[in-house]
Every structure is written in C-alpha cells, then in structure tokens.
Amino acid sequence: RSRAKLYDQRKERTTFDDVAGAEGAKEELQEIVTFLKDPGRVRRLGAQVPRGVLLVGPPGCGKTLLARAVAGEAGVPFFSITGSDFMEMFVGVGASRVRSLFEDAKKNTPSIIFIDELDSIGRKRGAGLGGGHDEREQTLNQLLSELDGFEQSHDVIVMSATNRPDILDPALLRPGRFDRRVTIPLPTTKARLEILRIHARNKPMAQDIDLNALARGTPGFSGADLRNLLNEAALMAARYDRKEILREDVEQARDKVLMGLVRQGLAIS
Ligand code: ATP
C-alpha cells in the first residue's frame, strides 16, 4: 500500500485564491485544470496535454500549495509523496511505494500525483555518493518507468516540485516526462501584501498595523516566512496576554524571522 496522503477535496479544498501572487504560474496551470475537469472534452478537440509538470522555485513560495490548488480547482483527488521520505529505506521499498502511488492514482482518475522535493530522489545518477545510493537509484528508475508506462488514456497528471532543477537527472526532463516547467518566484511587494492579508485573516490586529509597510519592509521573504512572521507575532501577543496583536509584536516577529534568514545566508542584515 502506498503511504501517499489523499486529501479529501470536499473537506479541505485549496483553490487558486489561497495562493497569493504567482499569477504567471496560475495562468499556465489553468490548462491542466481545464483538462482534469473534463479530460474527454479536451481530447475530443485533439489537444495535447502535458503529463508531467515541474514546479520550480525557492523554498516556501507555495509550490505545494499551488499543486493542491490545481487539484482543488479541478475537484480531483491529490496523491502526494515527498522525495526525502524515500531516503532511509530498505532497498526496494521506495520503488514499490512509487508503484503503488501510481496504481492508486490510476484507480481514481482523473487525478493528480504530487512529488515534493523531487531532487532528493531525482538527483543525477552515477554520482557515486555511497549510502542509500542503490535505493535512490531504484526509486528513480521506477519513477521513470511509471512516467513512461502511462498511456494517453490514463488521465493522471504528475506534478513535482524542486528548488534545485540544476541537479536533476536529465532523464526526468525528457519529453513525455517532466517536460513542462512552471516557475514560482519569491513574492513581489504586491504579492507579499496579499500573502500577509491571507494569513492575517484570522488574527485580531491593532488598527495601526500597516500591512502595506510590512510588505515593503520584507524583501526576500517567502510566503512561508511571512506566514511564520504573523504566527510569531500572534504568539508574542499571547505571551503578553493581549487581546490583539500590537505593532511591536509584528516588529519583533519580523526581526526574529529576518535573523533566521540572515543566519541561513538568505538575507542581508
Ligand atoms: P518547499 O519548497 O519548502 O516545499 P513550497 O514552495 O512547497 O515550499 P509551501 O509548502 O506551499 O511552499 O508553502 C508553505 C506555506 O507558506 C504554505 O502552506 C502557505 O501557508 C504559505 N505560503 C507560501 N507561499 C504562499 C503564497 N504564495 N500565498 C499564500 N501562502 C503562501
């Protein structure tokens, strides 16, 4: 059995509205949504639909969120698995897990398979890195053969995400595999404002908090960083037993998240 998580889209439906910014990516993915909603109609018109889509971009910018939103928009099941889950397994386990993931998806068409952190199983082969290498290679080979084994009639779209497209095995990127690349960049100032608004929805805030200014003051922050910032601010307010989040909580939270980014070399102080 596959350990893929199956999200029930009726209960926790994610849509494009939950993803701020990334307009270009949403536009490109709209054709996948159209296909999944009614594969027969698209086929009758003779259109070619991509099988595999690679989402590329820095961590925390919404790749997973966007993949889920495609499933949510189309109203189809979403089977997901994370590349690094395969790392500490016995030889053969990863490959069989990939096989059952594809089986599950094919039984529930139209559907989406999502492979997060594709680079952890999809790194270039033959790099001779020792430990876990055979396992990784077997898993990758299984993935390649599943991608090839798809018949045109299967109505499964395979999406994957990586922030390191440069280290992927070129075999993964050949036509018929992950041959469509969609980029999700770090959010612009405008997108940061939208992301802050989304994550401020359920948080009572003092009136003098200016999300516009906060968006301007957080260049280089990812969506995940911004969510983290507001969450830290809420925790800070809770610690002081406040009824709402104050400006100073937001400022402290911003500095805290920023320090973390500086430490990781992701931002300049
Ligand atoms: P990773 O590469 O680390 O897996 P990712 O790009 O897949 O990251 P997500 O896991 O989708 O990013 O993002 C983490 C969380 O950050 C999301 O669940 C969401 O709450 C928030 N987030 C990130 N980007 C956005 C965005 N564009 N709009 C709204 N929320 C966002």
Side-chain angles (χ1 to χ4, degrees):
R1 255 181 38 87
S2 122
R3 268 213 324 217
K5 287 162 255 162
L6 173 60
Y7 292 96
D8 187 338
Q9 293 291 347
R10 281 159 301 185
K11 276 194 217 124
E12 40 172 334
R13 189 176 172 129
T14 305
T15 68
F16 282 158
D17 283 343
D18 296 308
V19 190
E23 297 309 328
K26 285 187 215 170
E27 210 164 288
E28 285 187 65
L29 292 170
Q30 185 56 50
E31 75 179 77
I32 307 271
V33 172
T34 307
F35 169 73
L36 288 170
K37 272 185 174 164
D38 191 351
R41 187 171 58 105
V42 174
R43 279 225 179 79
R44 279 193 297 279
L45 289 166
Q48 282 278 337
V49 182
R51 263 279 141 247
V53 181
L54 181 65
L55 303 177
V56 175
C61 289
K63 296 186 289 296
T64 305
L65 194 64
L66 197 58
R68 275 221 224 161
V70 171
E73 290 282 335
V76 304
F78 181 78
F79 298 88
S80 83
I81 207 154
T82 297
S84 56
D85 288 351
F86 294 116
M87 293 319 272
E88 284 165 44
M89 282 188 202
F90 298 109
V91 173
V93 176
S96 83
R97 205 158 274 179
V98 167
R99 204 175 308 124
S100 39
L101 175 67
F102 278 73
E103 266 166 27
D104 288 349
K106 285 186 218 166
K107 274 188 221 138
N108 291 280
T109 55
S111 57
I112 290 182
I113 291 175
F114 178 62
I115 305 167
D116 201 2
E117 300 175 19
L118 179 66
D119 44 284
S120 54
I121 48 167
R123 237 182 307 131
K124 288 187 187 79
R125 284 169 295 182
L129 291 172
H133 186 67
D134 280 354
E135 168 58 4
R136 200 179 59 77
E137 197 150 310
Q138 275 196 19
T139 308
L140 174 56
N141 287 334
Q142 185 64 38
L143 175 61
L144 291 170
S145 95
E146 293 289 349
L147 289 168
D148 291 343
F150 266 142
E151 284 152 38
Q152 210 39 38
S153 59
H154 263 320
D155 297 343
V156 178
I157 298 281
V158 190
M159 300 181 79
S160 62
T162 183
N163 45 20
R164 292 297 310 275
D166 52 309
I167 61 169
L168 290 180
D169 195 297
L172 279 166
L173 307 175
R174 282 198 201 122
R177 294 174 178 167
F178 294 108
D179 53 5
R180 180 73 67 95
R181 187 181 288 210
V182 174
T183 303
I184 300 152
L186 276 174
T188 59
T189 310
K190 180 167 166 278
R192 289 199 297 277
L193 177 60
E194 285 170 39
I195 294 171
L196 287 167
R197 282 195 180 129
I198 287 176
H199 294 282
R201 264 184 215 151
N202 59 350
K203 297 184 178 64
M205 291 206 195
Q207 280 209 330
D208 64 348
I209 292 176
D210 180 357
L211 292 184
N212 257 301
L214 189 57
R216 281 195 301 274
T218 45
F221 280 49
S222 68
D225 297 330
L226 295 167
R227 183 186 67 167
N228 193 5
L229 187 167
L230 290 182
N231 192 52
E232 286 288 343
L235 289 172
M236 211 93 67
R239 191 180 313 152
Y240 293 113
D241 209 12
R242 308 194 214 285
K243 292 214 165 39
E244 57 179 17
I245 299 167
L246 300 187
R247 215 163 91 178
E248 60 195 80
D249 300 324
V250 171
E251 274 157 19
Q252 267 196 56
R254 176 185 168 274
D255 292 346
K256 186 170 171 189
V257 175
L258 187 58
M259 277 317 296
L261 295 179
V262 171
R263 229 174 288 128
Q264 296 168 55
L266 294 171
I268 310 155
S269 54

